[in-house]
Amino acid sequence: MEIAPASIERRKAAFGHLGSLQDNFLVQARDYKQQYAHLYFMRLMLMRPKVLEQAELKWGSLHPRPKHVEKVLDVQQREISYLVGTVYLDMKLKPNILNEITKDHWIAAQPERPKYTDDDDSVYLEDESGRVRLTGSKIDSELFVTGVVMGVLGTEDSDGDFKVVDVCYIEPPPQEQLDLMETDEADKYVALVSGLGIGSTDYKPLELDLLAEYLTGESGSIQEQTNRANIVRVILAGNSLVTPEVVEDETKSKKFRCDKTLDTSPTTILDRFLVEVCSSMPVGIMPGDDDPSSATIPQQPLHTALVQSARTYSTFQSVTNPYWSSIDNVTLLGTSGQTIDDIYKYVASEDRLEMAKKTLEWGHMAPTAPDTLWCYPFKDKDPFIIKQLPHIYFIGNQDKFATELMTGVDGSRTRVVMLPSFALTGTIALVNLRTLDCHSVSFTGSK
């Protein structure tokens, strides 16, 4: 016997705030007087002790026992030792202040490059005393970007370079225990969506309507609607809107050059979509690179004035980018994609999933900030250090859907999810909050 539609109820879940992990992304007072060097210094000070612990654990039992050299400039030739510092990539194709000067002098600037890599790039390790060049096959085979704090084992050669034979990163952070016990109840899911692209040339209204009907259970068979009632939260991971287009307004006078206005229809469409989904379940919306938000990370929550109707719902939440959250004690960490997009430019690899996994290994979600990724100049903290291992780690606005379950030697499990642009692919991701299984769902509307 089929269940009557009226008896299908949305599953409930408990949502946690995660305290300082999320609060660190909120910029209360904007002060840009301080130098960005403070952020690099604080990152090294906070991460070096834990990297050193891993280095001693990994290399302390070797024979002969390698020596720890506290300052990179104190390393001695032909002495096996290990150092801890911050990686710096010397890349001649990387943007620099000279590009801005050329623009000021009306000199044609170089076109923006998809990658900064070149055969002449060099890898350095630096600390408060200076920097030393790193060489060796280990350096050639590993994936590095500027800003990563790591330990290196090796010796100094006759050229003054440090020949590396092994590397190590920060001690893996702790993870909340996840209950995997079987229950009689159906498993709950979180829906992850990015790149709605409302207002762009890629925006497809029909696919957006299909998504809203899918999430709210307004389409499909009774069994399908029952299954969708297990989705307990939706997270929109950036680029829901595009930069508003300036249009001619014939109702305004041209006498005072006020005949142009911004096209507000994209925000109206987004507001209507959010109202429909928020009437059924909790929704969190993160800002992205194309959204009307701050250009620097952590991006602050989208102003609720953009969504006049949706903001009246208790189920609506405008959040930061990056974003920490908790659903039934399952911790989630996500970004809208700028962090991986910037790392992509530093490496020859095209595997964005591997880059996301590397950020967990490095213990830092945005190592290239503030070198080439704009960020707020924090002075006494680095909120991008991963202090707790999430159960779900998602990256928005990537080129395609990809996922992998990472497992640690201590039994930790993290589901890494690469979310494609919904406007381009019509694809979202559903993650099981108990098993961390993940699968994609695609929507295609006929023309």
Side-chain angles (χ1 to χ4, degrees), residues 10 198 203 205-219 234 236 267-283 307 309-313 315-316:
R10 179 74 56 181
I198 300 174
Y203 164 61
L206 179 56
E207 275 82 345
L208 187 67
D209 290 341
L210 292 174
L211 174 61
E213 292 177 358
Y214 176 88
L215 294 173
T216 57
E218 295 176 1
S219 63
V234 177
L236 303 177
T267 57
T268 303
I269 296 172
L270 176 62
D271 191 21
R272 186 167 61 244
F273 170 79
L274 289 173
V275 165
E276 188 171 357
V277 181
C278 286
S279 63
S280 178
M281 73 181 79
V283 178
V307 284
S309 299
R311 67 177 182 178
T312 63
Y313 284 76
T315 51
F316 171 78

Side-chain angles (χ1 to χ4, degrees), residues 57-71:
L57 182 64
K58 188 174 184 180
W59 302 321
S61 59
L62 297 179
H63 184 76
R65 182 183 177 88
K67 176 185 176 183
H68 170 228
V69 179
E70 293 187 0
K71 304 296 182 183

Side-chain angles (χ1 to χ4, degrees), residues 193-446:
V193 189
S194 74
L196 295 180
I198 300 174
S200 70
T201 56
D202 298 317
Y203 164 61
K204 300 178 179 65
L206 179 56
E207 275 82 345
L208 187 67
D209 290 341
L210 292 174
L211 174 61
E213 292 177 358
Y214 176 88
L215 294 173
T216 57
E218 295 176 1
S219 63
S221 65
I222 299 300
Q223 184 58 52
E224 289 173 332
Q225 294 178 30
T226 303
N227 293 337
R228 293 169 196 171
N230 296 319
I231 302 174
V232 296
R233 184 170 173 81
V234 177
I235 298 178
L236 303 177
N239 290 358
S240 299
L241 296 168
V242 296
T243 303
E245 181 183 358
V246 178
V247 296
E248 297 285 345
D249 189 346
E250 297 180 356
T251 63
K252 293 187 176 181
S253 171
K254 296 185 179 181
K255 182 177 181 179
F256 300 104
R257 297 183 180 181
C258 58
D259 58 320
K260 297 183 183 296
T261 186
L262 294 178
D263 181 12
T264 60
S265 59
T267 57
T268 303
I269 296 172
L270 176 62
D271 191 21
R272 186 167 61 244
F273 170 79
L274 289 173
V275 165
E276 188 171 357
V277 181
C278 286
S279 63
S280 178
M281 73 181 79
V283 178
I285 183 170
M286 302 165 56
D289 200 31
D290 294 337
D291 289 308
S293 178
S294 55
T296 58
I297 63 168
Q299 288 182 288
Q300 301 306 285
L302 292 174
H303 202 290
T304 56
L306 293 170
V307 284
Q308 296 280 348
S309 299
R311 67 177 182 178
T312 63
Y313 284 76
S314 61
T315 51
F316 171 78
Q317 186 181 20
S318 183
V319 300
T320 60
N321 167 40
Y323 173 50
W324 276 102
S325 63
S326 173
I327 308 175
D328 282 350
N329 297 320
V330 177
T331 55
L332 296 87
L333 171 62
T335 78
S336 295
Q338 297 100 314
T339 54
I340 300 301
D341 290 344
D342 204 56
I343 290 174
Y344 173 83
K345 300 175 182 179
Y346 277 79
V347 298
S349 172
E350 299 288 332
D351 191 346
R352 291 172 177 260
L353 177 61
E354 184 63 28
M355 298 172 202
K357 290 163 54 182
K358 271 294 183 180
T359 59
L360 293 177
E361 186 178 356
W362 296 331
H364 201 282
M365 69 185 80
T368 59
D371 186 35
T372 51
L373 180 60
W374 293 359
C375 78
Y376 182 79
F378 294 98
K379 185 177 181 179
D380 56 357
K381 65 180 180 181
D382 184 350
F384 309 116
I385 296 175
I386 302 176
K387 298 180 180 179
Q388 180 177 318
L389 193 62
H391 297 109
I392 301 172
Y393 180 43
F394 61 92
I395 310 294
N397 302 290
Q398 298 304 292
D399 58 339
K400 61 182 179 181
F401 171 79
T403 184
E404 184 174 327
L405 184 64
M406 295 181 63
T407 57
V409 294
D410 59 349
S412 61
R413 301 162 71 245
T414 299
R415 170 62 65 179
V416 183
V417 185
M418 311 301 286
L419 300 171
S421 165
F422 182 82
L424 292 173
T425 66
T427 300
I428 70 171
L430 293 182
V431 183
N432 186 309
L433 293 175
R434 185 181 67 84
T435 66
L436 300 185
D437 290 339
C438 177
H439 67 274
S440 62
V441 179
S442 296
F443 302 85
T444 303
S446 58

Side-chain angles (χ1 to χ4, degrees), residues 45-168:
M45 292 300 101
L46 293 173
M47 299 185 70
R48 179 161 52 189
K50 295 184 179 180
V51 174
L52 185 57
E53 287 181 15
Q54 284 297 100
E56 293 172 344
L57 182 64
K58 188 174 184 180
W59 302 321
S61 59
L62 297 179
H63 184 76
R65 182 183 177 88
K67 176 185 176 183
H68 170 228
V69 179
E70 293 187 0
K71 304 296 182 183
V72 298
L73 295 187
D74 292 339
V75 67
Q76 301 295 318
Q77 286 189 17
R78 296 182 296 276
E79 182 180 62
I80 300 177
S81 56
Y82 57 92
L83 318 169
V84 176
T86 306
V87 174
Y88 173 76
L89 266 62
D90 185 13
M91 313 176 80
K92 66 179 182 180
L93 299 181
K94 187 172 63 175
N96 56 61
I97 189 61
L98 294 179
N99 293 339
E100 301 300 324
I101 296 176
T102 59
K103 293 178 183 178
D104 293 340
H105 288 79
W106 299 97
I107 302 174
Q110 292 184 351
E112 186 175 350
R113 298 176 180 272
K115 286 185 178 290
Y116 308 143
T117 54
D118 185 79
D119 293 339
D120 296 329
D121 295 342
S122 299
V123 182
Y124 291 84
L125 193 73
E126 62 182 16
D127 61 11
E128 309 95 317
S129 66
R131 65 174 57 158
V132 61
R133 185 184 178 190
L134 305 180
T135 62
S137 59
K138 188 67 175 178
I139 296 299
D140 296 334
S141 61
E142 282 280 328
L143 192 153
F144 298 109
V145 297
T146 294
V148 173
V149 177
M150 71 175 186
V152 293
L153 173 70
T155 58
E156 185 181 53
D157 60 22
S158 58
D159 296 328
D161 298 334
F162 194 80
K163 188 172 183 179
V164 178
V165 296
D166 199 7
V167 300
C168 75

